[in-house]
Amino acid sequence: MTLPSHPARCPVPHGSPIDTDGPRVSLFDPEFAQDPHGAYDRMRARYGSLAPVDLAPDVPATLVIGYHTAVRILNDPEHFPADPRTWQRNIPGECPVLPMLEWRPNALRSTGIEHTRYRQANAASIAAMDLHALHAVVERIALPLINGFCGDGTADLISQYAFPLTFAVLNDMLGCPQDISQQVATGMAAIFDGVNADKGNAMLADALLELTVRKRRDPGDDITSRLIAHEAGLDDVEMVHQLATLYGAGIETQQNLIVHTVLLMLTDERFGGNILGGSLSTRDAVDEVLFTDPPMANYCVTYPRQPILIEDVWLPAHQPVVISMTGCNNDPAVKAREYSDNRSHLSWGVGPHACPARSLAYLVVQDAIDQLLDALPELRLGIPAEQLMWRPGPFHRALVSLPVNFPKSAPLYGY
């Protein structure tokens, strides 16, 4: 349900998102996808820092849109654990958001000793990546993609560049061969879009189990093999869920961050000069997007152990509390005016569940954009920005496509 456009005089206290008398905002509606910032403003005016929402039909939750409230929750795993098992007992298997929220034996959905065990295995396996070698991987993948459309004078930067690049780079980091990666791509798309998500979840699990079996038999210099070899002793089921988390975080978020950043640079005159050698860098644009329009808009989900009073609102036990990174980053109480070298946003998470791969993500995203703009410095948006369409979904912030135009050019570097 979309909130009325007129603000209330003061925030309306509310209790359980299940029992609230007021409207719950449907985060999965196409209307929300087209104007989430307006929806956050209306939620803030009506409810304050904690708003009642629906993640899917009949799946209520509390959305945190206050920055300081979010930081408090994210740093308090004792009262706000990430384990959803009690909640999901009453959720049907075909629920479209269940694959994004259900319990998995991984760091994202665990607490205590198990969280530490999974977190250490993932952090060590990711930290062993050679960042200098990763530069070469991005370039090796980016240039043939650009050559595939540079002679056309037009392209969709999602389907022809951002998605295939981020997917191929992640497959390289994980040591995933092409036959398995195609199943992974199909399964992940179904999970994020909430269309046949249960079937997508099963397809993803089958593919990642096959990857695990192959890497146990023939390890390599990749994240998957390092996870298998880690002293945590991850079994096959645990391996599947570590890999599912890495794919979930690595494809959708990096793809969207590349696209949002290019969109900003093509539509904001402060960055227009950068394509032709201006003063603001790609990293400046990435940092600004992470503040203003991050690729994962609403996530970092927790489930209170018991009813808890936060800012005069009773949050019920075992019901999802979702952090809106976009809403919190744009909270007027803390909204940044300078974005360059400012890391106070919540887009990587905060606390024990903060993203351990941010350095890799920065490198891949920045290199991908620089490769594109170096090759096509006269890149222009193909349609007016207000005509761009956004994919519905409660968690991501994602364009359907990003059409661009540019002068036709010959293939680069002999590819």
Side-chain angles (χ1 to χ4, degrees), residues 273-308:
N274 181 59
I275 299 177
L276 300 176
S279 60
L280 289 175
S281 69
T282 301
R283 181 61 176 260
D284 293 327
V286 173
D287 284 337
E288 181 159 338
V289 167
L290 286 169
F291 261 104
T292 60
D293 217 15
M296 285 298 285
N298 309 300
Y299 209 47
C300 299
V301 189
T302 63
Y303 304 81
R305 292 185 189 277
Q306 57 199 30
I308 186 168

Side-chain angles (χ1 to χ4, degrees), residues 208-245:
L208 298 181
L209 178 58
E210 176 62 23
L211 175 59
T212 298
V213 170
R214 292 192 195 182
K215 287 297 176 180
R216 287 197 191 278
R217 183 174 61 241
D218 185 19
D221 182 15
D222 52 64
I223 291 175
T224 304
S225 298
R226 289 192 288 272
L227 280 168
I228 290 171
H230 192 270
E231 63 184 9
L234 301 171
D235 63 27
D236 285 355
V237 172
E238 291 174 319
M239 279 297 305
V240 164
H241 291 289
Q242 311 318 302
L243 296 171
T245 302

Side-chain angles (χ1 to χ4, degrees), residues 152-389:
D152 299 334
T154 184
D156 169 26
L157 287 188
I158 296 179
S159 64
Q160 293 179 263
Y161 189 67
F163 170 72
L165 183 144
T166 54
F167 187 46
V169 170
L170 188 58
N171 286 332
D172 188 276
M173 289 193 286
L174 295 177
C176 184
Q178 185 172 0
D179 61 326
I180 295 177
S181 71
Q182 292 305 310
Q183 285 182 266
V184 170
T186 303
M188 289 303 307
I191 290 171
F192 269 93
D193 289 335
V195 179
N196 294 321
D198 53 341
K199 294 180 181 178
N201 200 28
M203 179 181 294
L204 177 66
D206 289 344
L208 298 181
L209 178 58
E210 176 62 23
L211 175 59
T212 298
V213 170
R214 292 192 195 182
K215 287 297 176 180
R216 287 197 191 278
R217 183 174 61 241
D218 185 19
D221 182 15
D222 52 64
I223 291 175
T224 304
S225 298
R226 289 192 288 272
L227 280 168
I228 290 171
H230 192 270
E231 63 184 9
L234 301 171
D235 63 27
D236 285 355
V237 172
E238 291 174 319
M239 279 297 305
V240 164
H241 291 289
Q242 311 318 302
L243 296 171
T245 302
L246 291 169
Y247 270 111
I251 300 174
E252 185 80 15
T253 55
Q254 290 185 108
Q255 166 192 303
N256 294 341
L257 186 52
I258 291 169
V259 171
H260 294 185
T261 303
V262 172
L263 177 61
L264 174 65
M265 297 176 76
L266 295 181
T267 56
D268 192 314
E269 61 184 12
R270 293 173 302 138
F271 294 95
N274 181 59
I275 299 177
L276 300 176
S279 60
L280 289 175
S281 69
T282 301
R283 181 61 176 260
D284 293 327
V286 173
D287 284 337
E288 181 159 338
V289 167
L290 286 169
F291 261 104
T292 60
D293 217 15
M296 285 298 285
N298 309 300
Y299 209 47
C300 299
V301 189
T302 63
Y303 304 81
R305 292 185 189 277
Q306 57 199 30
I308 186 168
L309 185 66
I310 302 289
E311 298 191 6
D312 297 324
V313 175
W314 278 103
L315 300 182
H318 309 300
Q319 293 299 314
V321 175
V322 181
I323 304 298
S324 174
M325 283 74 82
T326 303
C328 293
N329 291 347
N330 291 282
D331 184 350
V334 297
K335 185 171 174 62
R337 296 182 180 180
E338 295 292 335
Y339 303 105
S340 299
D341 296 320
N342 189 337
R343 308 289 185 267
S344 63
H345 60 75
L346 303 183
S347 298
W348 301 121
V350 169
H353 294 281
C355 176
R358 67 187 73 183
S359 295
L360 296 182
Y362 263 125
L363 186 153
V364 172
V365 169
Q366 184 170 331
D367 277 5
I369 296 169
D370 286 342
Q371 290 288 337
L372 177 69
L373 298 184
D374 285 347
L376 302 172
E378 298 181 66
L379 199 69
R380 296 290 180 268
L381 196 59
I383 62 174
E386 59 271 16
Q387 294 181 16
L388 293 169
M389 298 300 294

Side-chain angles (χ1 to χ4, degrees), residues 36-55:
H37 293 282
Y40 296 130
D41 288 343
R42 292 189 291 275
M43 281 188 268
R44 199 183 314 279
R46 184 179 181 102
Y47 298 113
S49 295
L50 299 162
V53 298
D54 277 329
L55 303 177

